[in-house]
Amino acid sequence: MTGKPPAKILSKGTSSAQLVKQIVAWIDEAKAEEIVTIDLAGKTSIGDFMIVASGRTDRHVGAIADQIQDKLKEAGHGRARIEGKETCDWVLIDTGDIVVHLFRPEVREFYNLEKMWSGTRPEDPTAH
């Protein structure tokens, strides 16, 4: 790992946690920036975790995605789906339990997924 601060973990979970740590390490090795891990438990059924990171340019985003795809195959997770490699503004890698979003910085800022997914769910007023 580089001298960068460790990846920011918004909350902890147990399912798929080891693979999340490995993917975060791979993304860091690929020199991605602002790596954030979000625990999706209780928020959605799309997966257990979401990882969000930025590449400096579209080429960098594509290179990170290629590296993650290769590492996932080597680790036995070769069935991951990848979308967005045509333009590399926003590349999504879906392992089933973990969804990885790789962005160019301005695209990430526009969509602001961290704010959308890291907040706590409001209480259901009808539950009382």
Side-chain angles (χ1 to χ4, degrees):
M1 292 250 194
T2 63
K4 292 197 274 187
K8 181 179 177 185
I9 298 178
L10 298 176
S11 60
K12 295 182 179 184
T14 55
S15 298
S16 310
Q18 201 59 30
L19 182 57
V20 165
K21 289 179 185 178
Q22 190 63 62
I23 292 171
V24 167
W26 296 333
I27 292 171
D28 185 59
E29 288 171 10
K31 308 255 188 270
E33 300 171 347
E34 299 182 47
I35 304 167
V36 177
T37 302
I38 302 169
D39 185 344
L40 297 176
K43 296 179 184 177
T44 182
S45 61
I46 64 168
D48 296 334
F49 291 93
M50 180 181 296
I51 302 170
V52 183
S54 297
R56 293 177 300 279
T57 65
D58 57 343
R59 291 181 76 169
H60 188 212
V61 169
I64 296 167
D66 287 341
Q67 288 181 36
I68 300 309
Q69 184 177 23
D70 291 345
K71 298 274 189 180
L72 284 168
K73 283 181 186 176
E74 289 172 16
H77 301 279
R79 297 179 51 93
R81 290 186 24 231
I82 298 185
E83 297 179 24
K85 292 238 355 228
E86 302 79 28
T87 61
C88 292
D89 286 335
W90 176 359
V91 176
L92 181 138
I93 303 170
D94 184 355
T95 71
D97 294 334
I98 302 163
V99 181
V100 180
H101 296 275
L102 303 170
F103 289 101
R104 283 189 308 106
E106 54 275 4
V107 177
R108 180 178 181 171
E109 185 178 332
F110 179 80
Y111 288 101
N112 199 3
L113 292 183
E114 294 97 320
K115 183 176 181 185
M116 182 186 325
W117 286 101
S118 64
T120 56
R121 295 182 71 179
E123 275 191 43
D124 182 358
T126 61
H128 293 277

